[in-house]
Amino acid sequence: MSLEFARDVLHKIDSSPTAYHVIENAGKDLESEGFTELQESGIWELLPEGKYYVKRNGSALIAFVIPKTDYRGLRIMASHSDSPCPKLKETPAVTNSAYVRLNVEQYGGMLMAPWFDRPLSVAGRILVKDGEKIRPVLVNVGKDVAMIPSLAIHMNREANSGYKYSFQSDMLPIVSTTEEKSSLMELVAEEAGVAVENILGDDLFLYPRETGVIWGIGDEFLGSSRLDDQECVWCTLKGFLESENADYVRMLCIFDNEEVGSRTRQGADSDFLETLIDRISQNLGRSREQYYAALADSFMISADNAHACHPAHMGKYDPVQSPEMNKGIVLKFSARQSYTTDGYTGAYVRALCEKEGIPCQIFVNHSDQPGGSTLGNISNSHISIKTADIGLAQLAMHSVYETAGAKDVEWLRKFSKVFYESV
């Protein structure tokens, strides 16, 4: 299997350090394929065979293709743009007798230890005063400006016996000495090409500039930041762009804030998907009865990465179903419905995989170790559509640098295309 697409996925992740950059880059890909951006505040005039996309907050996006006005239903794939990392607070600088440090807080369920002793940069968006308006500007400082130093083993002899981190005390990165003090916001303003006094707000995050690589004796693995969930973002987007369907509206959703519960206007626990489907139906002159009939004949795939079995901790996994990297997509089940897959939706996914020769694995949690949740069940609380949860197997989920299978991206790309073309 060629690694060309795997390299492309890594390049996309490298160029997308924050959710805002994910959406900006996804929009560019859509524009290059003839999609038209719509504004939520505008009045839409949708056309059969039209290709459109809508952004919300600059960090979430929904794209869709209308085949014809009498479409049967929708085929939807959803992933998320955000990843756990330190987020800068509103007053980012902290100065003591020796150093200038950044005042940061925890965004999402991070593995903290891997963030230490690693050069970090800053990226995100700033909100700039532009006359009487406020204009968002993407920014990526593009140089290593910070580091979170470990305490030497001589000062903490128990460091290798387990340690409870205090984010406020342990995780504030050094950016300067007091003698060399300079303003991070001045650096951000310079990178953005704006005056620092015109910056009215910001959403800035730390990220590692270390690029993604293909590694292993046989080039089996992907190593990168933000594999969860950008690996799914770029694979499902590719399948979406490659697919055709004359009977169903094809829809791609990239939500934000999954890592902090999705309870935002740009998250899966918002009305973004619900109102967009409603607007499509009304714009094409369909009745309320047709709207509900279309929902009943719709299917959604929630695509968010899954845990690969860890060779040193096999006791943490179900003894029967432990997914492996490079063995295809992972279909996720949970009795408490933190994953929405049930017998019917799981059978639907299995049937597609079997028909197209796509390997499919199963993930279930160890019965004594409940796992996390994802987009599917949250979206279904707003708009009820048959849904299955899938992902790709990875190690070190929520670390600053994660590992996945180099072959699996092709399987998800192929599955996405097949799903979008299913009836």
Side-chain angles (χ1 to χ4, degrees):
M1 184 177 287
S2 170
L3 294 176
E4 181 180 355
F5 182 56
R7 294 187 181 95
D8 184 54
V9 169
L10 291 177
H11 175 71
K12 292 288 189 185
I13 296 173
D14 289 342
S15 61
S16 304
T18 72
Y20 303 102
H21 295 83
V22 171
I23 298 309
E24 177 74 8
N25 290 328
K28 290 177 181 178
D29 286 355
L30 291 164
E31 295 265 354
S32 70
E33 294 293 331
F35 282 72
T36 299
E37 183 177 1
L38 302 172
Q39 303 298 324
E40 280 197 277
S41 58
I43 304 301
W44 298 354
E45 294 182 8
L46 306 181
L47 299 173
E49 301 184 333
K51 302 192 293 186
Y52 307 97
Y53 73 99
V54 185
K55 294 179 181 179
R56 182 178 279 192
N57 187 52
S59 60
L61 176 152
I62 297 179
F64 58 96
V65 179
I66 300 170
K68 52 188 178 182
T69 55
D70 59 343
Y71 60 86
R72 290 172 52 182
L74 302 101
R75 292 290 177 262
I76 306 168
M77 295 195 79
S79 56
H80 64 88
S81 58
D82 60 321
S83 299
C85 63
K87 184 180 189 298
L88 274 65
K89 292 184 178 180
E90 285 299 301
T91 304
V94 176
T95 304
N96 62 17
S97 59
Y99 304 103
V100 178
R101 297 196 294 168
L102 293 181
N103 196 14
V104 295
E105 58 185 319
Q106 182 176 349
Y107 178 88
M110 299 167 52
L111 278 172
M112 296 185 192
W115 284 85
F116 283 85
D117 308 317
R118 187 183 295 264
L120 302 170
S121 190
V122 173
R125 71 170 179 183
I126 55 175
L127 290 307
V128 178
K129 180 170 61 176
D130 188 0
E132 298 298 315
K133 297 181 179 180
I134 298 174
R135 175 170 56 93
V137 178
L138 285 188
V139 64
N140 182 0
V141 169
K143 61 178 281 188
D144 297 321
V145 297
M147 188 177 294
I148 306 169
S150 295
L151 181 63
I153 189 71
H154 314 77
M155 311 294 180
N156 180 12
R157 296 290 183 179
E158 302 302 313
N160 294 325
S161 301
Y163 183 78
K164 183 175 177 60
Y165 294 103
S166 162
F167 209 90
Q168 189 68 62
S169 299
D170 296 318
M171 299 293 291
L172 305 191
I174 293 172
V175 291
S176 179
T177 63
T178 51
E179 292 81 6
E180 301 284 338
K181 184 168 78 170
S182 60
S183 166
L184 174 68
M185 294 311 295
E186 289 176 0
L187 191 61
V188 168
E190 180 182 353
E191 176 65 27
V194 301
V196 68
E197 60 268 20
N198 287 335
I199 299 176
L200 300 178
D202 61 82
D203 295 290
L204 297 173
F205 303 83
L206 291 177
Y207 79 96
R209 292 176 62 240
E210 183 179 1
T211 56
V213 297
I214 296 173
W215 65 275
I217 293 174
D219 293 334
E220 304 107 307
F221 304 110
L222 302 181
S224 178
S225 299
R226 306 181 296 280
L227 288 174
D228 173 23
D229 189 34
Q230 286 196 45
E231 193 176 20
C232 289
V233 168
W234 303 115
C235 292
T236 57
L237 175 58
K238 188 69 171 178
F240 173 73
L241 293 174
E242 292 176 339
S243 63
E244 297 180 358
N245 195 321
D247 297 311
Y248 288 83
V249 174
R250 288 173 287 136
M251 185 173 287
L252 176 87
C253 304
I254 309 173
F255 294 112
D256 190 11
N257 303 130
E258 192 276 340
E259 300 295 1
V260 291
S262 297
R263 295 183 301 274
T264 60
R265 63 181 292 269
Q266 58 274 0
D269 198 12
S270 72
D271 66 351
F272 194 15
L273 177 59
E274 179 183 11
T275 57
L276 196 144
I277 293 174
D278 193 15
R279 289 184 75 168
I280 292 172
S281 182
Q282 290 192 56
N283 202 274
L284 296 175
R286 293 164 67 90
S287 68
R288 205 65 182 165
E289 187 75 6
Q290 289 174 305
Y291 169 79
Y292 289 120
L295 291 184
D297 195 10
S298 297
F299 203 106
M300 181 165 72
I301 296 290
S302 168
D304 196 358
N305 271 0
H307 299 290
C309 60
H310 193 298
H313 300 280
M314 297 301 291
K316 296 288 187 181
Y317 298 82
D318 180 82
V320 179
Q321 305 283 3
S322 298
E324 300 176 33
M325 291 177 284
N326 292 317
K327 295 293 181 66
I329 68 167
V330 179
L331 183 59
K332 301 189 283 186
F333 289 86
S334 171
R336 62 192 184 102
Q337 289 297 287
S338 52
Y339 308 126
T340 57
T341 316
D342 58 21
Y344 174 81
T345 60
Y348 187 92
V349 171
R350 282 191 179 105
L352 287 179
C353 291
E354 185 177 313
K355 180 181 177 182
E356 299 297 329
I358 300 169
C360 180
Q361 309 178 80
I362 303 300
F363 176 82
V364 290
N365 291 301
H366 188 290
S367 296
D368 298 327
Q369 296 245 284
S373 62
T374 185
L375 303 164
N377 58 342
I378 296 172
S379 294
N380 262 256
S381 67
H382 293 271
I383 187 161
S384 299
I385 295 174
K386 294 183 288 291
T387 304
D389 275 279
I390 70 167
L392 295 179
Q394 72 162 91
L395 291 170
M397 187 177 288
H398 289 196
S399 176
V400 68
Y401 205 79
E402 302 165 322
T403 292
K407 297 178 182 178
D408 287 332
V409 291
E410 278 287 359
W411 293 125
L412 182 53
R413 171 188 183 177
K414 183 176 181 180
F415 175 82
S416 301
K417 182 178 186 296
V418 168
F419 168 75
Y420 278 120
E421 295 180 341
S422 66
V423 294

